[in-house]
Structure formats: structure tokens, C-alpha cells
Amino acid sequence: MTAEPGVRSHQTSAPASPQTGHPAGHEVLAAEKASFFRQPKAVWATAAASVFAFMGIGLVDPILPAIAANLDASPSQVSLLFTSYFLVTAVMMLVTGWVSSRIGGKKTLLIGLALIVVFSSLAGTSQSVGELIGWRAGWGLGNSLFVATALAVIVGVASGGTATAIILYEAALGLGLSLGPLAGALLGGWQWRMPFFGTATLMAVAFIAILATLPKTPAAARKTRFRDPLKALGHAGLRSVAGSAFFYNFGFYTVLAFVPFILGMDAYGIGAVFFGWGVALAVCSVFLAPPLQARFGDVTVLAGTLSGLALVLVGLAVAAAVHAVPAVVVLTIVAGALLGVNNTVYTELAMGISDAPRPVASAGYNFVRWMGGALAPFIATWLGETFGAPVPFYASAAALVVSIAIALAGRRYVTAHEPSAV
């Protein structure tokens, strides 16, 4: 695969360092930084729509206890709001490439946004937790069409190369994850149904913005087949990144789905905590991950941040056991910072580590990693209900140990993807 300017791959060409004779990583980063804000309107519109889409993930966080109380549901039943959403998102990742390669990226984005508007509106009308779970599954269908295509569109339209486009995408993800709980708290503190109608409104605005600013994107010259994302996972490097991300996402969504039930706060309090979590995630994904990658390399950064996250999860288990809410708040925000770094590293690796076309590699990778996001919320809340609040965090810490082991086992593929010297 031919690397674009700024792509962090083994084929990247960059000015040589006078000390080492190898490409100077900081000069590549400087070039990417200079082009970061010089983007076409279509990029900003797609990124803004991505912010709104990612808001839907954390939107329900502050209102999980309220949903459980109003719909007479247990925490594990309410956690299925995440599971149905991510399960459909994961499976549909195998289909989105087939769709977008035939009708073009713009039409795929618009269909995804329209589905989110419809199903988030219907979610707001739910009279039972079963209805709400079903509408969230439909929401996940729209989300899969939009999210998978948005990354490919941003990469294709953005100036500054793939690395810059990925940072833009991760910034949108982090901003969406931070604003989602805040919006959920502000609207959910009024009435628990309102966040769903609020999302529908925002996505309708995003629909109009994409329609007006994004140029028509033609169908791909080569049509993607259903089996292509699974074939892409035959590449050992992509398979190791996806496998590591599966277990990493188990820890990610344990924090997102289970912590609200142990905070003992109202919607405003939970929203404030996860707003801080999301801000830490966004800031570190954009400003901390690139220099760490340039300085230490992807494997070292992954191993270090995953180890730190495992320790944070153990700390959350201890804090949950003694009901130390302030400690839970601090550790949750620290987890957000580590998650932000990891998100950027995993996304870059998934997009460049194999020879598969980027949309195909992304689909295969996202299929595996979103499965981790689908399983974690229900398993974590069930473990908490059955064995006590500390157990989900210990289980997630163990999952991260597995994630580290897989990342280290695939070290040679990751190292080949990195620049010659960092």
C-alpha cells in the first residue's frame, strides 16, 4: 500500500535527522500540525456530524439509573442498551463497505444519519426497557453506516495525510464522548426521554450539513465484497491489533457502562464526571498520543497505557469496595486520558498495518473491537449484581492483561509499521 504524506507507516518518507540519518519524527509531526486546521468545509461538516454521532454513545450514561427506575429494569437489563447498539454496529461493519462502495460515501452517510434520527426519536417514545433496547439496536444500524464511512470520507477529503485525518476523527470521537454525557445530563435531568429527542435533532442538523457541504462521492471503482473485511483479518498484523482492541474495549466499556451505577449521583453528577472523562480522552487522543508515538513507538505506548489502565481498573475495584466516590471520580477521569491515547494508536495501526484497502481493514478491525464493546456492558453489570461492585473492574483488568499479551505477540508487525526511527 502506498503511503500518503504524513502516514505513520514503514513506507513513510521524512527528512533525515542529522544525528541519526533516519527520518525525524518531530518534523513529520510539525507538518501534520500545520495542516490540521486547513481543511475543506466538507471535512469540518463530516467531523461535526461525527461529534453528534459519538455523543449518542455516552448520551445514555447519566440517565442509566433513571431509565432503570422509570422502566422497572435492573442494571444488567439497562446495560443491554449498550449491547444491542454495539452488537448491531459490529455486525454491520461487515456490510457497510459493500453498501458504500456501490452507492458512494455521501449517500451512505446520509442514510446512516437518517436512520439515527428515526430510531433515536422512537427510543424516546419507549414504554418498556425491551422497546428501548430494540430501538437502540436500530440506532446502532444507522451508527455503523455513518461511523465506518465517516472515517473513510475524512481520510479521503482531509489535507495533511492519513495521520492528520485520523487525529481529526479521534478528536471528533473524544469531543462526542465528552459532550454526550453532558447533553444527557442537562436534558435527562429534565426528563429521561429528552436526550433521545435531543440526539434526533442534532443528527437532523448534521444531515443537512453533510447534504449541503460534502461533494458527491462516486461509487468505488472496485466493489467491496461481504467477505473482504473477514479476509483482511487473515493478515496477522491486523488480526493481532483487532484482537488486542477487543479485550481493550472490554475495559473501555466497563468504565462507561458500570461506573454510573456505583457513583450514587443524579444525572447532573454522572454527566459532570463523564464530561471530565470525555475531555481527558479527547485532549490526550489529539495532543498526547502523537508525541508519545513519535518518541517511544506504538508497541511501547500501547503496553504502557494498557498497563496503566489495568492499574486504574484495580484502583476502581478497591474504591468501589469501600464506597470511596471521590476516588472513583478521579480514577474515571484518569482512565479517560489513557483511553484517549490508546484510541489513536489502535486506529492508526488498523488503518495502515495491512495491505488491505483502508475501508476494508477498518471494517474488519471494527467488527472485532465493537464486539468487545457489545459484551462488556452486560457482563460487567451482571458480575456487579451477582458478585459485588469490585468484580467487574478486576475482570476488566484481567482482560487488559490479555490485550497487552496479544499486542506484544504481534510486536514485529507493529514495529514494521512504524517509521525507521522515532
Side-chain angles (χ1 to χ4, degrees), residues 220-236:
R222 179 183 179 277
K223 303 296 188 291
T224 300
R225 298 165 296 182
F226 285 121
R227 66 177 182 271
D228 285 349
L230 293 176
K231 282 186 66 179
L233 291 170
H235 186 278

Side-chain angles (χ1 to χ4, degrees), residues 75-393:
S76 58
Q77 287 176 315
V78 172
S79 74
L80 292 173
L81 295 177
F82 287 106
T83 295
S84 64
Y85 179 86
F86 289 129
L87 184 62
V88 172
T89 298
V91 173
M92 285 302 297
M93 286 294 170
L94 302 177
V95 180
T96 52
W98 185 91
V99 173
S100 64
S101 67
R102 283 161 175 79
I103 67 174
K106 182 174 182 177
K107 289 181 181 178
T108 306
L109 289 178
L110 292 175
I111 292 171
L113 289 169
L115 287 171
I116 295 173
V117 170
V118 170
F119 284 106
S120 56
S121 298
L122 290 170
T125 68
S126 300
Q127 299 299 316
S128 69
V129 71
E131 280 185 53
L132 188 52
I133 291 167
W135 298 136
R136 278 284 282 183
W139 190 340
L141 170 61
N143 184 68
S144 65
L145 289 169
F146 177 82
V147 170
T149 310
L151 177 55
V153 167
I154 290 174
V155 168
V157 179
S159 62
T162 299
T164 298
I166 288 172
I167 292 172
L168 279 165
Y169 181 79
E170 290 298 333
L173 185 153
L175 191 58
L177 288 177
S178 64
L179 293 178
L182 186 62
L186 294 175
L187 295 173
W190 176 20
Q191 216 280 342
W192 71 266
R193 298 179 186 274
M194 294 309 297
F196 299 109
F197 295 125
T199 297
T201 302
L202 288 172
M203 298 312 284
V205 172
F207 182 97
I208 295 170
I210 293 292
L211 186 64
T213 64
L214 185 64
K216 181 180 178 181
T217 53
R222 179 183 179 277
K223 303 296 188 291
T224 300
R225 298 165 296 182
F226 285 121
R227 66 177 182 271
D228 285 349
L230 293 176
K231 282 186 66 179
L233 291 170
H235 186 278
L238 183 62
R239 190 168 62 245
S240 68
V241 171
S244 179
F246 173 90
F247 290 97
Y248 157 68
N249 271 275
F250 194 94
F252 188 118
Y253 289 102
T254 293
V255 174
L256 190 63
F258 187 65
V259 166
F261 289 107
I262 66 171
L263 285 172
M265 298 177 177
D266 61 11
Y268 297 113
I270 297 171
V273 171
F274 277 92
F275 174 68
W277 170 85
V279 168
L281 188 151
V283 169
C284 291
S285 67
V286 174
F287 297 107
L288 184 57
L292 285 178
Q293 290 172 276
R295 175 68 179 84
F296 299 106
D298 291 329
V299 174
T300 302
V301 172
L302 272 184
T305 52
L306 289 171
S307 299
L309 188 56
L311 292 175
V312 167
L313 286 164
V314 171
L316 281 168
V318 174
V322 298
H323 306 289
V325 173
V328 172
V329 171
V330 172
L331 288 169
T332 298
I333 294 172
V334 172
L338 296 169
L339 294 168
V341 175
N342 280 326
N343 281 355
T344 296
V345 177
Y346 275 120
T347 303
E348 283 199 18
L349 287 173
M351 293 292 281
I353 201 169
S354 74
D355 292 327
R358 291 189 183 94
V360 173
S362 177
Y365 162 76
N366 279 299
F367 167 69
V368 176
R369 73 138 175 166
W370 284 120
M371 279 295 180
L375 295 175
F378 178 77
I379 293 174
T381 49
W382 178 81
L383 288 172
E385 288 176 338
T386 307
F387 301 106
V391 175
F393 299 113

